[in-house]
Amino acid sequence: MPTLPGVHLKDEITKISQRLKELGHGRHLDKAVWDKVELARHPKRPYTLDYIEHMFAGFIELRGDRFFGDDPAIVGGLAAYQGRTLMVIGHQKGRDLNSRTLRNFGMPRPEGYRKAQRLMELADKFGIPVLTLIDTPGAFPGIAAEERGQGGAIAKTLVCMARLNVPTVSVIIGEGGSGGALALALTDRVLMLENSVYSVISPEACAAILWKDSGEAHLAAQTLGMTSADLSRLEVVDEVLPEPRGGAHRDHSAAARILKDALEEQLRELETMNPRVRRKERFDKFRRMGVWKENGLTLF
Amino acid sequence: MAQKVSVDISRRGGNNSNGAESCPGCKELLSPADLSGNAMTCPHCGHHFRMNARQRIELLADSGSWSEIAGNLRSADPLEFFDLRPYPDRIEEAEYDTGLSEAMLVGRARMNKMDVILVVMDFGFMGGSMGSVVGERFWRATEEAMETRFPLVVVCASGGARMQEGILSLLQMAKTSCAVELLAEVPVPFVSVLTNPTTGGVVASFATLADVIIAEPGALLCFSGPRVIEQTIKEKLPEDFGLAESNMKHGQIDIIVPRTELKDRLVQILGLLEGGVACALQPLWEEEKSPSRRGGAITQALNRIKAFANSSRRSPKR
Ligand SMILES: [Zn+2]
């Protein structure tokens, strides 16, 4: 085929087929994905304290990081539960204007993570299992939070959770937003409510960076694979918990019952294990996270 | 396990390979020779230019001592991620542009004759982002350090987690933190060097978990990026926000070391960290006259008294 000097047909073909792929790929938006993002952020969805109220007869909230302050975006404390004590720690969002501001929209600062570490170490000392409830858009991005070591606080929380000798279970109950969520989710078992999401970045921020258009958030949500079905397929979560018809916000006590039953089952299994084995399996579990190729083979 | 480095220098394009560039610090015109002869720092004002992985290895490892580990790991595409382009295309382009196989290289090396496990990140490879391969290579580095008892040196440069691997990238923070914990239980000394920029998921995992945290002058080190913070709090950030100097002021790092002194300082710090073990073992290696055997002698001595090292005082906390 004759070509003009300087025109490389191969390049042109590549470009055109590229453009075709762009137009075709991923543009069939699955509405169900964005519905889940909205359900996960639903203002009436049960939050950590709602679950605590429905699940446990006695709960004593313990506050403060003993260094700087108390972060209301993370709550924690001791709960009586089926003849044992549990340490329950979770992100907390607010429902009205005042409580939203107080809870900083569920975005913790370093002192929140340091409080969580303190409570987990306390639980470890007395052999109390730890339950964490994950529901945050992410760790708070602020100047003072950075100055007090936001990154280091999250990292130390991860190590703290890895190190625990007691059984640990986390449940993603709403938004699992990035490192701020993961910080409380390095547990023996990771459960997820059906309409929750868990992601490396918010779909809005992802769209703004990769598509240069935050309006593409729906597409980003789909591409990131942040629904419970995606995460179950990637073996990031161990169990997906069904929600009451229409979503957890429709019936808080039914949602709490589902969570309680699942927790009971997981704890029963974890508690019978040798603590050393259980701890080692936790390390093994997170060691396996990721997909890569080694000598041409894809490894999970 | 060890193999030759997969860095292919010939493929590197190198912008400004012939032309001089003006220093952002002092506006002096600098030739490539000025820079490369001075560890990519400005000879006039000390401004630190970005350094790629190959230059970093040349800077830190004794000549000819580097041998790569886990160089055969490559990214997969578990999400079949497609933004404006498919993820595998972006990987291929990054490989071509940098001549590297990933954003992190791991290897054995010697620094002033001391054996170390050296890990370097390259911001040029998809912004030094952490995906599955970076996480797994970091794990292999810690495994190697545990096996050999050679100290671990990690030079960070990263924009955070790699979006194209979605949640699996996020989980690398958990994975690398677990690796650091296992290393700490031995214990093997671990020093991180935070270079410009080190942000996001890497800051919230292994970078800040080191026994000693070194930073290069002027490096941006933060968890949330400046733009995200500005958009959230709707305020302009102070000029020194997140810089190494500001992190130092707020107690987040141990020491700021200019790059030209980095290697010597690292060796000094590692020696002092090993001192706890080293002092107890002094009689065992004093006979080792040749200084070139120093690293090996420590290891041998360590092996000989493994029982001691694993007993009461140095045993894992739990
Ligand atoms: Zn200059």
Side-chain angles (χ1 to χ4, degrees):
Chain A
M1 198 183 290
T3 54
L4 294 167
V7 176
H8 300 290
L9 208 53
K10 193 160 160 281
D11 288 356
E12 286 304 307
I13 291 169
T14 317
K15 253 190 239 161
I16 292 166
S17 65
Q18 189 67 43
R19 184 74 195 131
L20 280 173
K21 264 198 270 176
E22 277 172 37
L23 290 170
H25 195 102
R27 300 283 150 163
H28 307 289
L29 277 174
D30 181 358
K31 199 177 160 296
V33 172
W34 193 253
D35 285 349
K36 281 205 193 300
V37 174
E38 290 191 328
L39 275 175
R41 296 171 174 174
H42 197 286
K44 294 203 167 114
R45 196 167 171 84
Y47 298 146
T48 293
L49 287 174
D50 299 314
Y51 283 107
I52 288 175
E53 190 191 318
H54 283 99
M55 286 168 69
F56 311 113
F59 174 73
I60 299 290
E61 186 177 351
L62 302 173
R63 298 176 58 175
D65 69 346
R66 302 293 189 271
F67 287 109
F68 179 81
D70 180 55
D71 183 355
I74 289 184
V75 295
L78 295 165
Y81 173 68
Q82 319 270 42
R84 52 167 111 68
T85 306
L86 265 190
M87 180 63 82
V88 189
I89 302 168
H91 301 97
Q92 181 64 39
K93 293 178 176 176
R95 229 171 225 117
D96 53 35
L97 190 63
N98 280 340
S99 65
R100 272 188 200 151
T101 313
L102 171 76
R103 304 291 181 184
N104 199 29
F105 304 89
M107 294 187 284
R109 297 180 163 95
E111 45 277 19
Y113 294 109
R114 293 188 178 122
K115 169 167 70 178
Q117 289 166 38
R118 182 176 76 81
L119 298 185
M120 288 184 223
E121 277 161 11
L122 173 62
D124 206 43
K125 179 174 171 184
F126 293 105
I128 297 169
V130 174
L131 166 69
T132 60
L133 301 177
I134 316 295
D135 189 15
T136 178
F140 183 60
I143 299 173
E146 289 291 331
E147 288 174 349
R148 293 199 294 278
Q150 186 74 284
I154 292 172
K156 291 252 157 50
T157 314
L158 289 169
V159 165
C160 176
M161 297 204 86
R163 203 185 273 162
L164 296 176
N165 293 302
V166 292
T168 58
V169 176
S170 58
V171 188
I172 298 145
I173 57 169
E175 269 184 288
S178 188
L182 173 75
L184 298 183
L186 202 165
T187 45
D188 296 322
R189 297 282 192 275
V190 182
L191 316 184
M192 185 168 183
L193 283 173
E194 186 187 350
N195 297 317
S196 297
V197 292
Y198 189 16
S199 174
V200 65
I201 185 171
S202 78
E204 288 83 357
C206 176
I209 294 168
L210 292 182
W211 282 269
K212 319 283 176 217
D213 177 5
S214 58
E216 297 280 18
H218 296 219
L219 184 56
Q222 195 169 315
T223 314
L224 282 166
M226 55 201 292
T227 67
S228 53
D230 295 317
L231 298 177
S232 174
R233 179 175 57 82
L234 292 167
E235 293 176 40
V236 169
V237 299
D238 300 295
E239 190 186 348
V240 175
L241 310 180
E243 293 185 20
R245 219 179 150 74
H249 63 282
R250 294 281 182 85
D251 190 341
H252 287 198
S253 74
R257 251 194 326 274
I258 292 166
L259 209 158
K260 195 171 178 177
D261 289 345
L263 174 68
E264 182 58 26
E265 198 179 307
Q266 297 292 351
L267 278 183
R268 235 185 331 211
E269 201 182 306
L270 290 169
E271 279 169 339
T272 56
M273 292 172 74
N274 175 327
R276 276 174 181 277
V277 175
R278 189 173 57 218
R279 190 176 187 272
K280 183 177 181 302
E281 284 190 4
R282 188 187 304 144
F283 281 91
D284 292 346
K285 172 193 179 76
F286 285 93
R287 196 255 149 96
R288 283 193 305 270
M289 293 291 171
V291 179
W292 63 89
K293 287 182 281 190
E294 189 158 7
N295 297 327
L297 298 166
T298 303
L299 299 173
F300 286 83
Chain B
M1 216 35 198
Q3 58 193 66
K4 275 285 153 230
V5 58
S6 65
V7 184
D8 181 354
I9 301 163
S10 62
R11 284 196 302 178
R12 273 202 70 84
N15 34 351
N16 294 317
S17 51
N18 294 317
E21 60 182 308
S22 134
C23 171
C26 65
K27 310 284 172 238
E28 285 280 340
L29 217 54
L30 303 172
S31 75
D34 290 338
L35 279 175
S36 59
N38 201 39
M40 298 301 286
T41 63
C42 173
H44 309 285
C45 72
H47 177 83
H48 282 51
F49 287 78
R50 200 167 280 158
M51 200 173 215
N52 63 43
R54 182 178 55 81
Q55 291 166 325
R56 186 63 69 173
I57 292 167
E58 271 169 19
L59 175 79
L60 294 179
D62 294 350
S63 169
S65 72
W66 166 265
S67 72
E68 195 180 3
I69 297 162
N72 54 351
L73 304 184
R74 293 289 184 284
S75 291
D77 184 16
L79 301 181
E80 299 182 358
F81 199 96
F82 193 109
D83 43 277
L84 297 178
R85 297 168 53 200
Y87 176 40
D89 279 15
R90 289 193 187 269
I91 289 278
E92 206 172 294
E93 184 187 81
E95 284 175 348
Y96 185 82
D97 287 348
T98 61
L100 303 178
S101 58
E102 251 298 337
M104 175 186 275
L105 298 186
V106 171
R108 277 196 197 202
R110 291 165 80 85
M111 291 172 56
N112 296 352
K113 305 198 164 78
M114 177 188 263
D115 286 303
V116 298
I117 306 301
L118 180 61
V119 174
V120 296
M121 298 188 78
D122 194 314
F123 192 78
F125 195 105
M126 295 190 74
S129 55
M130 174 159 66
S132 300
V133 172
V134 167
E136 180 63 16
R137 283 192 181 177
F138 185 84
W139 190 287
R140 305 268 176 110
T142 57
E143 265 181 349
E144 190 77 6
M146 282 187 277
E147 211 168 283
T148 58
R149 308 272 172 133
F150 296 158
L152 177 65
V153 175
V154 179
V155 184
C156 304
S158 173
R162 185 171 298 169
M163 273 178 278
Q164 288 84 354
E165 290 182 35
I167 193 77
L168 295 176
S169 296
L170 184 69
L171 265 303
Q172 302 312 308
M173 290 168 57
K175 177 169 177 172
T176 54
S177 299
C178 285
V180 174
E181 171 60 18
L182 292 176
L183 193 67
E185 286 174 8
V186 174
V188 174
F190 164 29
V191 175
S192 66
V193 182
L194 312 187
T195 73
N196 188 42
T198 301
T199 65
V202 165
V203 169
S205 59
F206 60 86
T208 50
L209 292 173
D211 299 311
V212 174
I213 305 176
I214 299 176
E216 287 197 332
L220 177 69
L221 320 167
C222 52
F223 175 60
S224 302
R227 252 199 335 198
V228 176
I229 297 177
E230 271 181 348
Q231 281 165 7
T232 309
I233 63 173
K234 314 229 170 359
E235 279 175 46
K236 193 114 186 63
L237 293 180
E239 224 164 76
D240 67 342
F241 170 81
L243 298 187
E245 293 72 15
S246 161
N247 273 279
M248 175 62 98
K249 193 172 88 190
H250 292 286
Q252 302 304 330
I253 56 175
D254 287 290
I255 178 171
I256 296 176
V257 178
R259 195 181 285 154
T260 44
E261 298 168 20
L262 182 60
K263 183 174 178 178
D264 290 344
R265 281 302 184 88
L266 268 170
V267 172
Q268 188 188 1
I269 290 166
L270 292 173
L272 290 167
L273 282 173
E274 288 203 323
V277 179
C279 292
L281 301 178
Q282 199 148 6
L284 286 173
W285 79 71
E286 248 172 11
E287 64 208 56
E288 296 271 359
K289 287 284 182 282
S290 160
S292 69
R293 297 281 307 141
R294 199 178 150 261
I298 293 177
T299 314
Q300 280 171 27
L302 260 176
N303 284 338
R304 260 182 277 165
I305 59 137
K306 224 176 199 171
F308 163 78
N310 282 331
S311 70
S312 57
R313 193 173 62 83
R314 307 204 62 85
S315 68
K317 272 151 281 169
R318 286 157 220 266

